[in-house]
Amino acid sequence: MDKYDFSVDSLGEAKIPSPIQMSDINGDGFADYVSDDDRILYCIDTMIDKNGKRVPKSPESVELAGPRKTIYFNPAHVHAAICTCGGICPGLNNVIRAIVRCLWFRYNVRRISGIRYGYQGLLPTSQESPIELNPDIVDDIQEKGGTILGSARGGGERTGDIVDTLERMNVNILFTIGGDGTQKGAAAIAEEIKNRGLKISVVGVPKTIDNDLAFIQTSFGFDTAVSMAVPVVRCAHIEAKNAINGVGLVKVMGRESGFIAAHTSLAQSDVNFCLIPESPFDLYGEKGLLPLLKRRLTDRGHAVILVAEGAGQDLLPKTNQADASGNIRYNDIGIFLKDEITKYFKSEKMEVNVKYIDPSYIIRSAPADSYDSIYCARLGANAVHAAMAGKTAVLTSMMNDRFVNLPIRLAVSSRSRVKTESALWRDVLENTRQPESMKN
């Protein structure tokens, strides 16, 4: 297996007693502090060694997240800032609320600023003043979708200007809530801070609705996205069944990773074809999607296709454009498939009724469901514990069902994708009964 460095950077030795009163004795019935020596195995798979003993495949371990007995920052001197970057996602307000409440009630921090519109709010050209945050302001924001701070793409590459602003504001801690581009920016900001010899902690909370950050079990908002996509697929199925040769075509998020489409296909068994970026397909030929769709309609009279936005991009012309985060702009695979299906069945002289639904913005703007609400509350609190302990260039996340402190450099080193040899994709194929490959 590949070797990874899970060591976490720190601003210095934590010497200040934490205001959080907990126990450091196991078995006394009280919640315990977490030590930097408390770790879990990165890989839970095992193997048989040369002596015939079963051992972990990898000995590498990851630092557990949680409150430390001693902290680095004096709470009375802390000025914390929070920014939300990139596209909106269910759970953003929940994370903001959790961070503010943990800082305020657990650490007695009284200076908390909300940065408007992501990294752009930290640029000298910004016209938006930071928002003063406290428990009253964030009291019920978890009930709303989006983010009270606003969000925007871009700006993270201007690390010098951002660190200048943090210095002028006397910020000690910066919480960055965002996905791959946001956290790459956070890593660069932390490096600039280190080069200047400043004592500012940068702690990320990974937000990617596509669930595509490496080494992270699940990103917040993903569960809500699947929950929101399921009734859309159900409606597409009803539309398809009530039309002559009806085809319900639904597009969901998933630029490079098809996790939402895969999980939705399992949650709602009406999907007949699940199309994801990791599994290329042809339109024509014996194994192509359109001939397979014709067979399905001939046999059953209706079909449901669920497609991730990044699927089939090799079939479309390149846009040669990128958004403010540097992501390549894709052509709309949903519209493309709708047109191709209509054209194909016209040439086959077979009536077809295509019902195309794109619920992407409805899903993104939804409030978090119960699972994500719990997850966001714990992520936010653990991010605060890491920051107050002086850890930096770190993400708080979940791995092997435990909350951990993960170096940002690892989380952005690669993308998590659906493995077509995995149990997940095997189960999707069993559920949809589509072929293992639609490539000729």
Side-chain angles (χ1 to χ4, degrees):
M1 295 184 65
D2 294 331
K3 299 291 184 182
Y4 301 107
D5 179 8
F6 289 102
S7 59
V8 172
D9 291 341
S10 178
L11 297 176
E13 185 179 354
K15 300 178 180 179
I16 300 172
S18 173
I20 298 177
Q21 298 300 307
M22 302 183 77
S23 171
D24 53 6
I25 303 172
N26 281 328
D28 62 357
F30 296 98
D32 297 331
Y33 292 112
V34 177
S35 164
D36 287 352
D37 294 329
D38 292 334
R39 307 178 72 87
I40 62 167
L41 288 173
Y42 151 61
C43 178
I44 60 175
D45 295 333
T46 62
M47 64 179 184
I48 304 298
D49 67 9
K50 60 183 179 181
N51 299 317
K53 293 184 178 180
R54 186 166 292 280
V55 297
K57 276 190 176 180
S58 172
E60 295 164 301
S61 62
V62 188
E63 178 181 295
L64 284 179
R68 269 48 178 177
K69 187 174 183 179
T70 55
I71 58 178
Y72 180 79
F73 288 109
N74 182 338
H77 300 162
V78 166
H79 180 193
I82 307 169
C83 65
T84 52
C85 309
I88 62 172
C89 168
L92 284 168
N93 277 333
N94 302 66
V95 175
I96 294 168
R97 183 176 186 267
I99 290 173
V100 170
R101 288 172 60 85
C102 189
L103 283 168
W104 191 280
F105 292 122
R106 301 293 274 165
Y107 288 100
N108 303 314
V109 171
R110 293 295 182 263
R111 293 187 66 203
I112 311 169
S113 295
I115 306 302
R116 301 300 311 279
Y117 301 110
Y119 288 138
Q120 293 195 27
L122 291 170
L123 299 180
T125 52
S126 175
Q127 300 299 309
E128 302 287 344
S129 299
I131 299 173
E132 180 181 343
L133 297 175
N134 59 51
D136 289 336
I137 289 174
V138 303
D139 183 50
D140 61 354
I141 63 172
Q142 78 280 4
E143 298 174 9
K144 306 177 181 71
T147 161
I148 61 166
L149 303 180
S151 192
R153 299 186 186 278
E157 73 284 355
R158 295 174 60 179
T159 53
D161 289 335
I162 289 172
V163 177
D164 287 344
T165 300
L166 295 176
E167 282 196 90
R168 284 193 295 268
M169 292 176 63
N170 292 318
V171 168
N172 312 100
I173 297 171
L174 175 65
F175 294 100
T176 60
I177 309 171
D180 180 74
T182 302
Q183 303 310 338
K184 284 180 178 176
I189 292 166
E191 187 64 25
E192 176 67 15
I193 289 169
K194 182 178 179 181
N195 291 338
R196 296 191 190 187
L198 303 174
K199 299 299 185 181
I200 303 175
S201 171
V202 179
V203 176
V205 180
K207 174 231 72 177
T208 165
I209 205 167
D210 293 347
N211 199 35
D212 60 355
L213 276 172
F215 299 96
I216 289 172
Q217 182 172 317
T218 309
S219 55
F220 75 82
F222 174 72
D223 189 83
T224 305
V226 173
S227 297
M228 292 290 292
V230 165
V232 176
V233 172
R234 187 179 298 122
C235 292
H237 182 236
I238 292 170
E239 284 283 354
K241 285 191 72 174
N242 284 271
I244 298 172
N245 291 328
V247 177
L249 174 60
V250 179
K251 186 185 77 172
V252 292
M253 291 80 66
R255 287 180 51 82
E256 297 184 46
S257 306
F259 287 105
I260 293 177
H263 282 256
T264 302
S265 295
L266 289 172
Q268 184 65 22
S269 297
D270 295 327
V271 176
N272 307 116
F273 300 96
C274 177
L275 309 177
I276 61 173
E278 297 89 338
S279 183
F281 62 93
D282 290 331
L283 287 178
Y284 301 95
E286 184 181 353
K287 295 183 179 180
L289 172 65
L290 296 177
L292 289 170
L293 178 58
K294 181 181 178 182
R295 279 178 239 166
R296 164 73 192 185
L297 293 178
T298 301
D299 292 342
R300 302 285 293 170
H302 70 280
V304 175
I305 302 172
L306 181 59
V307 59
E309 62 182 307
Q313 289 299 314
D314 58 314
L315 305 172
L316 295 159
K318 306 296 182 187
T319 65
N320 297 317
Q321 297 177 358
D323 63 22
S325 297
N327 299 312
I328 297 172
R329 290 190 187 278
Y330 288 159
N331 276 310
D332 194 320
I333 184 64
I335 296 293
F336 173 78
L337 286 178
K338 178 180 180 291
D339 292 342
E340 289 296 315
I341 291 168
T342 302
K343 184 172 67 176
Y344 173 77
F345 282 97
K346 184 176 181 180
S347 69
E348 294 290 310
K349 296 181 171 53
M350 181 175 173
E351 182 179 358
V352 70
N353 287 278
V354 183
K355 313 294 184 181
Y356 175 50
I357 307 173
D358 180 358
S360 300
Y361 290 105
I362 296 173
I363 291 173
R364 290 190 348 160
S365 60
D369 65 11
S370 298
Y371 175 87
D372 273 327
S373 295
I374 296 167
Y375 191 29
C376 289
R378 301 183 73 186
L379 281 174
N382 280 299
V384 172
H385 297 320
M388 291 301 295
K391 299 180 187 303
T392 190
V394 66
L395 292 176
T396 180
S397 189
M398 186 176 277
M399 181 184 290
N400 299 331
D401 291 325
R402 305 289 293 277
F403 285 91
V404 297
N405 294 325
L406 179 70
I408 292 178
R409 64 179 182 276
L410 280 184
V412 300
S413 62
S414 62
R415 285 191 184 274
S416 179
R417 292 182 169 88
V418 176
K419 295 180 175 64
T420 53
E421 296 183 5
S422 68
L424 170 62
W425 189 240
R426 177 199 67 206
D427 293 343
V428 170
L429 295 180
E430 289 178 356
N431 220 36
T432 62
R433 298 195 297 280
Q434 70 191 67
E436 289 188 9
S437 173
M438 287 185 278
K439 289 289 289 184
N440 293 300

